[in-house]
Amino acid sequence: MFIKPFKIKSNILVTGSEKKRLRQRIMAQFNRVDEESATSPLAELFGNRAKVCTVKIITYHEEPVTVYTSDKRPIFFELNGKLLPTVYTLWSCPDLVPAFTTHATVLPKLANGADLMIPGVVKQGTNLASWGRHQKNDIVAVNLTSNRAAVGVGLLAHSSSDLYMCGGHGVCVKMMHVFGDKLWGMEPSVCQQVPLQGTVVSVPTESDFPPLGSEKVKPVEDSVKEATKSLAKSVITSKEESGSDDEASDEDTQEPEEEEKPPNPDDLIKGAFLNALKLHGKKITLPLLTSTFYPQYVQPEIPEGIEMKKSSYKKVGTFLKRMAEEGLIEIKEEKKGIEKVTSLNLEHPDVLSFYPYKVSKPSAEQEISGTASAGPASNPLLLTKMTAMYAVNERTAKLFGCFNVAVGNALDQTQVRNYMRDYVGRNKLINPNTKLVTLDETLKDICGVNGEELVALPDLTETVLNGMTSTFEMRSQKGAVMKGGKRAVIHLTTATRSGNKKVTLISNLADYGINVNDFAKAVKLGAAASTTMTEVPGSKGEQLMVQGNHVKFVFELLTTTYQVPKACITGLEFAKEQKKKKKK
């Protein structure tokens, strides 16, 4: 319903009495009269300090809808006299409406405007009770098997009994609002990604079904024998535990938990040194001052939080002398206190056996915002691309803890692949002959392997991805947008209206996912000019008209704030020429 842009007709701040009536109406509709205390999550949306507004909008299909916002964030929208919660409201009140669960791969289809079909619903059981006791057009939420948080809101297409009798075919939920649509991004400054609220049901993956004839597949007779043996052992151990408490205490002492040891700074610094030789050794021009060699080549490869002071070397000079003693480099002292690196031993066994990795440093914007571990920074004004993400859980916490990525942080597939390469390279787990990875204790716990096994790095990365919690994020669209096989172009032109007044016309903004209303506000404030939306006959989308010649300002706004490539904008030649100042 909100997949395509909509028009905002009015935005009015409600009074205290209207806010109270709206709150009572919501409590009555969702049977939450007993939770009218100020501490309940639903009541906090209508707190005394919350600014609740009524926004009248017209959808792309010319349907009038009333949206209620709290501190600029949409919380409910009214459709045919019925109030429906948004995903923001369901994240703070998860039990407000019943939820239907689907697979994570279905969410991109829902984001493109599809309804939730019956085959895509994941249920606990196959009987009539598994469909619940719902009526047609009841409000329901949609969540994923990997995350309990709602990703959509809709109306039931059939009652529970009809869904049971459909035979597994047809529409289950008519989607009205989905994470990532225009209603979710109504106010870019308050957009929020999907929170992690735990898994709903564990769905088997491809790794749980090994091919027939492999070692992991056991005959039925063996599995029955193992089951009987384990049952007999459990009976015997239960008798022994009830008979003697001393033996139980001895068993507890036999299995002490090994404490996790922090990484050794000496090994990390030397690994960074070897990585610098492996990546840049042939490009370094020698001789080179040691004061230039270390900060330019070695220091960028050292992981964050590792300092030379915390190692046994204490100083850079001591570290380089140790490397020279091991035969990795040669250092010559020209004058007192001035040392130069004269040669690099790239044929050293330590260099040849080392597996290089690339360290991804956070950008300046990420360091300012503090989101270095959360992935690449996205422009909040241009969140148009749904990206599959993988969150670190308890199963993979030990692996990503080496890179200071905490539990709950989401990574994209490229970041996970890079971290796996770094981990394998640092710990020297790859065999230089076979190019296969030897699993250590951390990787064995993730893969569920007991004995020694060699695995290819792509297969190992895929196993780690399957062990992480899958989720989605809305990110900025990067690169040129392709439309019908051709690159979409934003056109800037000027025209003359009545009274010989110049106006600036901007078209094709929607092709880049730009919220035209927010863009009009930015132009109105920056250029101090009025803006209006006009429809062009024979073309899709609307055209933004700005009073006066502001081509240059609009061009700079698109290229800087909205990160649109300069090659995708035409019409800069219509910019107003600045008058040259006369020399006195």
Side-chain angles (χ1 to χ4, degrees), residues 260-303:
E260 297 182 6
K261 296 181 180 180
N264 189 2
D266 294 357
D267 297 338
L268 295 179
I269 294 174
K270 185 177 179 181
F273 177 81
L274 295 174
N275 194 52
L277 295 184
K278 198 79 172 181
L279 296 177
H280 314 291
K282 297 180 179 180
K283 303 176 184 178
I284 299 175
T285 56
L286 300 175
L288 185 65
L289 290 171
T290 56
S291 58
T292 305
F293 171 76
Y294 180 81
Q296 186 173 353
Y297 296 102
V298 181
Q299 196 167 5
E301 308 296 332
I302 297 178

Side-chain angles (χ1 to χ4, degrees), residues 331-344:
I331 299 177
K332 183 179 180 181
E333 185 175 3
E334 290 189 351
K335 298 180 182 179
K336 188 176 182 181
I338 300 178
E339 296 179 344
K340 289 186 177 181
V341 179
T342 57
S343 66
L344 305 175

Side-chain angles (χ1 to χ4, degrees), residues 326-372:
E326 295 182 7
L328 292 167
I329 58 175
E330 289 184 7
I331 299 177
K332 183 179 180 181
E333 185 175 3
E334 290 189 351
K335 298 180 182 179
K336 188 176 182 181
I338 300 178
E339 296 179 344
K340 289 186 177 181
V341 179
T342 57
S343 66
L344 305 175
N345 187 5
L346 301 180
E347 301 298 327
H348 195 278
D350 291 348
V351 179
L352 295 176
S353 62
F354 185 80
Y355 186 80
Y357 59 89
K358 293 183 179 180
V359 178
S360 57
K361 295 291 182 179
S363 61
E365 296 178 358
Q366 292 174 335
E367 290 177 354
I368 295 172
S369 59
T371 58

Side-chain angles (χ1 to χ4, degrees), residues 58 86 422 459 513:
I58 302 295
T86 63
D422 294 356
D459 297 338

Side-chain angles (χ1 to χ4, degrees), residues 99-404:
F100 279 66
T101 304
T102 185
H103 301 279
T105 54
V106 179
L107 179 57
K109 307 296 182 183
L110 302 180
N112 288 332
D115 293 327
L116 180 61
M117 310 301 287
I118 295 178
V121 178
V122 179
K123 310 187 306 300
Q124 297 289 345
T126 57
N127 54 1
L128 177 61
S130 62
W131 290 102
R133 297 180 179 180
H134 310 299
Q135 301 299 323
K136 185 179 180 181
N137 291 329
D138 279 358
I139 303 173
V140 294
V142 176
N143 57 18
L144 306 178
T145 55
S146 57
N147 191 2
R148 194 178 298 273
V151 294
V153 181
L155 302 176
L156 271 182
H158 307 280
S159 62
S160 297
S161 58
D162 291 341
L163 290 173
Y164 177 71
M165 298 298 294
C166 280
H169 302 282
V171 179
C172 179
V173 180
K174 294 181 289 185
M175 301 304 300
M176 297 295 166
H177 165 49
V178 186
F179 163 73
D181 61 6
K182 302 304 179 183
L183 181 62
W184 171 85
M186 184 176 178
E187 181 59 40
S189 60
V190 295
C191 285
Q192 181 184 351
Q193 304 293 349
V194 181
L196 298 177
Q197 297 181 353
T199 58
V200 180
V201 61
S202 59
V203 178
T205 59
E206 294 181 359
S207 59
D208 297 328
F209 298 97
L212 295 176
S214 62
E215 296 179 358
K216 295 183 179 180
V217 179
K218 297 181 180 179
V220 179
E221 297 178 358
D222 295 345
S223 60
V224 172
K225 291 179 180 179
E226 291 182 359
T228 53
K229 288 181 180 180
S230 61
L231 181 62
K233 288 182 180 179
S234 61
V235 173
I236 295 172
T237 52
S238 62
K239 291 181 180 180
E240 291 177 353
E241 289 177 355
S242 60
S244 59
D245 296 336
D246 296 338
E247 293 181 0
S249 61
D250 293 339
E251 290 178 358
D252 294 338
T253 57
Q254 289 177 359
E255 298 180 356
E257 295 183 355
E258 296 182 358
E259 296 182 356
E260 297 182 6
K261 296 181 180 180
N264 189 2
D266 294 357
D267 297 338
L268 295 179
I269 294 174
K270 185 177 179 181
F273 177 81
L274 295 174
N275 194 52
L277 295 184
K278 198 79 172 181
L279 296 177
H280 314 291
K282 297 180 179 180
K283 303 176 184 178
I284 299 175
T285 56
L286 300 175
L288 185 65
L289 290 171
T290 56
S291 58
T292 305
F293 171 76
Y294 180 81
Q296 186 173 353
Y297 296 102
V298 181
Q299 196 167 5
E301 308 296 332
I302 297 178
E304 294 183 8
I306 303 301
E307 299 178 0
M308 185 66 71
K309 297 179 182 179
K310 298 179 181 179
S311 65
S312 61
Y313 306 113
K314 300 299 181 183
K315 295 182 180 180
V316 177
T318 308
F319 168 72
L320 293 177
K321 288 180 180 179
R322 186 73 60 82
M323 297 297 102
E325 292 175 359
E326 295 182 7
L328 292 167
I329 58 175
E330 289 184 7
I331 299 177
K332 183 179 180 181
E333 185 175 3
E334 290 189 351
K335 298 180 182 179
K336 188 176 182 181
I338 300 178
E339 296 179 344
K340 289 186 177 181
V341 179
T342 57
S343 66
L344 305 175
N345 187 5
L346 301 180
E347 301 298 327
H348 195 278
D350 291 348
V351 179
L352 295 176
S353 62
F354 185 80
Y355 186 80
Y357 59 89
K358 293 183 179 180
V359 178
S360 57
K361 295 291 182 179
S363 61
E365 296 178 358
Q366 292 174 335
E367 290 177 354
I368 295 172
S369 59
T371 58
S373 61
S378 295
N379 185 0
L381 297 173
L382 199 60
L383 299 175
T384 59
K385 184 180 180 181
M386 181 174 289
T387 307
M389 305 292 290
Y390 301 88
V392 180
N393 49 22
E394 295 181 356
R395 182 178 176 181
T396 57
K398 188 176 179 181
L399 172 63
F400 293 99
C402 304
F403 305 99
N404 297 326

Side-chain angles (χ1 to χ4, degrees), residues 439-451:
L439 303 182
D440 59 358
E441 295 299 329
T442 302
L443 296 177
K444 286 180 182 179
D445 294 339
I446 297 175
C447 300
V449 179
N450 295 326

